[in-house]
Amino acid sequence: MQFKNPEILYALFLLLIPILIHLFQLRRYKKTPFTNVAFLQNLVQNTRKSSSLKKWLVLATRLTALTCLILAFAQPYFPVSQKATLAKETVVFIDNSFSMQATGKKGTLLTEATQDLLENLPTNERITIATWDDTFKDFDAQTDRNTLLDINFSPRTSDSQSLLLKLNTLFSTHKNTVKQLVLLSDFQNFNIENTLDTNAIQQYPVVLKPVNIENFSIDSISVSRNAELYNLHVLLSNTAPSDAELPVSLYNDDKLIAKASVKFASKDTASLKFQIPTNKAINGKVSISDAFLKYDNSFYFSINKQEPLKVLAISNNDAEFLKRLFRSQNFEFTSISEKELDYTLLQDQNMIVLNELTNISSSLVNVLKAHTQKGGIVVLIPAMQNRVDSYTEILEAYGFQAFSEKVEAPNLISQINYDHPLYKNVFTGRSSNLQSHLVESYFKLPSGNPILSLENGDPFLTGNANLYVFTGALAPVNSNFINGQLIVPTFDKMALAALSLPQVYYTIGNNTKFDINAALTTDAALVIEQNGKQFIPLQERQGNKIAISTAEGIFSDGLYAVKYRQDTLAIVAFNHDRAESKLQNVNMQSSADLSFTTDIKKLFNKLEHDSDLNLFYKWFVIFALLAFLAEMLLLKFLK
């Protein structure tokens, strides 16, 4: 037996007071004479004997009553378990990931978890509440009620082991405490069998189950280019194969610009395509209607106004045909002679044409190699008066074999590789009537993947690693190629290959980096703005480009404006990760380490029962009352 208030037991020393009173009788007896002395002596002896017995019985009942009262106030008990007498530390983790938007019995699973928790938290105990992005220590269910109800959904999730290690830090290092970790979650993308590497913390997972796990979501968006149009490919998914037909809407800002429907055809994925002109900026949003998880019903993307593609021609011959090819407003064409070449001019170019150069130095080869590694395009047009080995270094740098010999015999361009990306989707049919394209002389180049071939099978145009190589000069004295039907689509597709596809969106939570082209002063700072709220991201100036990093600062999906003062330089789209979209049924098999439940009330009742003390002070109160009653009866009836 143990006592809840053992210090009250010192009151037992007060029992000495009635004992002393009974031992030292202070009452004086008055003698009264009687005529018959013999008879009086016998009566006095009998009265003293009964009075002495009565006093001892009264003393015993009083001592018993007082002892029971003292023990009752000390609150004796027998603990239900060994940990019932120890101090308790309780941490409750509430999963506020996006999958908790699923519908439960009382609304969303997050609403269900917070309401049940408020109804069942012990009122006389302070606990710690943790979510994916917040921690509330010394939480009181009465005074901090609104804090719990205001918990919102968060994209900041991690793997289960990292979460458990984080929650472990919320407990103290005291060994003589009972540490209880309650996990309220739907356990999507969460290994429920993971436990902390310690026996000091008891885990109690509460599995919250949605009413329905069916959920349609926009999984991703990708872009491809087709001439003057962007093809916007939208991938949608469902948690299970479905025959449903789902309407999909495309917006530019708040304006509906296209609408379509998609059928899943008994599959869990489906896709559709929208076409968008390349010459317009789009602040886009693809939207669906789905009553389950709502965070994945909209997908934002942005396509900023396309800047003119920069083409540089380094020429040792007349480059008039190149000026005619790239004279539209979609191109920024620059032509310089071989003698005027400045390497700093090459940094900002998208496409570089080497037109019949007499010498290509090692340093120029290195600069061109760095240019193509960044996505740029280089076109090599040889000069027929040069030696065969004049181009060996640049060819070998791009994985080609060297020119083997010069062939000075007229040949027709007779074959097109229609499956090559350069000519894919360019022609409506596969014609072989190319008799008008003639080459007077060319260099032999071993190549396993020619794009254009001569009638003897030798390549006239081939490519590798962003270097396109003509084996013969395009000057009119050597070829009529620049006057034929292939010149325009060939160079147009080469230029488009130099223009990288836009990055239409970024994912929140990733270390996102992107470049903004802006010629600003060195102390200028760009800001990112959404709905009037601004923050300054990490940024680094690199020439006329500013590299921006958004590892922090982006928390909600949508369109963000990159601004300098009042000028908007670009629109950037951010979306949440879709990892939470595919809901699954959680398998709650029995485990030796974990005890699963789906009822929050049941769990807290169990925890309260485990900490109960079998108090039996009421019995001592009853014994005290009985003792006082016995004393009264003794005083009244015992003579």
Side-chain angles (χ1 to χ4, degrees), residues 90-107:
T90 303
V91 175
V92 179
F93 170 73
I94 304 176
D95 182 4
N96 60 330
S97 63
F98 285 120
S99 64
M100 293 288 284
Q101 287 182 353
T103 304
K105 297 178 182 178
K106 302 178 182 179

Side-chain angles (χ1 to χ4, degrees), residues 208-229:
L208 304 174
K209 291 187 174 182
V211 176
N212 193 337
I213 65 170
E214 185 179 37
N215 176 56
F216 293 98
S217 66
I218 305 175
D219 187 83
S220 61
I221 285 179
S222 60
V223 173
S224 62
R225 191 194 306 273
N226 183 13
E228 299 299 320
L229 295 173

Side-chain angles (χ1 to χ4, degrees), residues 438-496:
L438 180 67
V439 178
E440 296 292 340
S441 61
Y442 67 94
F443 291 112
K444 269 187 168 294
L445 177 65
S447 176
N449 188 29
I451 302 172
L452 294 175
S453 300
L454 302 173
E455 57 184 341
N456 60 3
D458 289 339
F460 177 69
L461 173 63
T462 186
N464 186 48
N466 285 2
L467 172 67
Y468 290 97
V469 180
F470 287 92
T471 59
L474 302 186
V477 296
N478 188 66
S479 172
N480 63 353
F481 182 78
I482 61 176
N483 299 318
Q485 62 186 15
L486 291 178
I487 182 68
V488 173
T490 299
F491 276 87
D492 272 354
K493 290 299 291 285
M494 287 179 182
L496 290 177

Side-chain angles (χ1 to χ4, degrees), residues 401-431:
Q401 296 184 34
F403 289 138
S404 59
E405 59 177 309
K406 180 179 179 180
V407 178
E408 296 183 349
N411 270 277
L412 295 172
I413 302 173
S414 59
Q415 297 179 21
I416 300 177
N417 184 355
Y418 290 101
D419 295 325
H420 193 276
L422 200 63
Y423 291 127
K424 197 170 184 179
N425 300 322
V426 172
F427 302 101
T428 55
R430 299 196 172 193
S431 173

Side-chain angles (χ1 to χ4, degrees), residues 204 595 601-611:
Y204 301 96
S595 177
K601 181 178 181 180
K602 182 179 178 181
L603 172 64
F604 278 94
N605 287 340
K606 176 182 180 300
L607 295 179
E608 185 177 359
H609 175 72
D610 291 344
S611 61

Side-chain angles (χ1 to χ4, degrees), residues 15 27 38 87 204 224 249 331 367 456 511 575 610 636 639:
L15 297 177
R27 182 179 176 184
Y204 301 96
S224 62
S249 303
F331 299 100
V367 174
N456 60 3
N511 188 11
N575 293 284
D610 291 344
K636 185 174 182 180
K639 301 299 182 179

Side-chain angles (χ1 to χ4, degrees), residues 549-618:
S549 174
T550 60
E552 298 291 339
I554 304 294
F555 303 108
S556 59
D557 59 347
L559 298 169
Y560 290 78
V562 182
K563 304 180 73 173
Y564 174 65
R565 295 180 178 174
Q566 301 302 318
D567 298 329
T568 299
L569 305 181
I571 300 294
V572 186
F574 286 88
N575 293 284
H576 294 298
D577 194 327
R578 264 38 183 178
E580 298 282 324
S581 295
K582 199 168 183 64
L583 302 178
Q584 298 176 348
N585 286 316
V586 179
N587 183 18
M588 297 190 304
Q589 295 181 351
S590 60
S591 171
D593 300 319
L594 297 176
S595 177
F596 307 120
T597 182
T598 59
D599 192 329
I600 296 176
K601 181 178 181 180
K602 182 179 178 181
L603 172 64
F604 278 94
N605 287 340
K606 176 182 180 300
L607 295 179
E608 185 177 359
H609 175 72
D610 291 344
S611 61
D612 279 347
L613 303 176
N614 283 331
L615 298 172
F616 47 94
Y617 67 92
K618 296 178 181 179

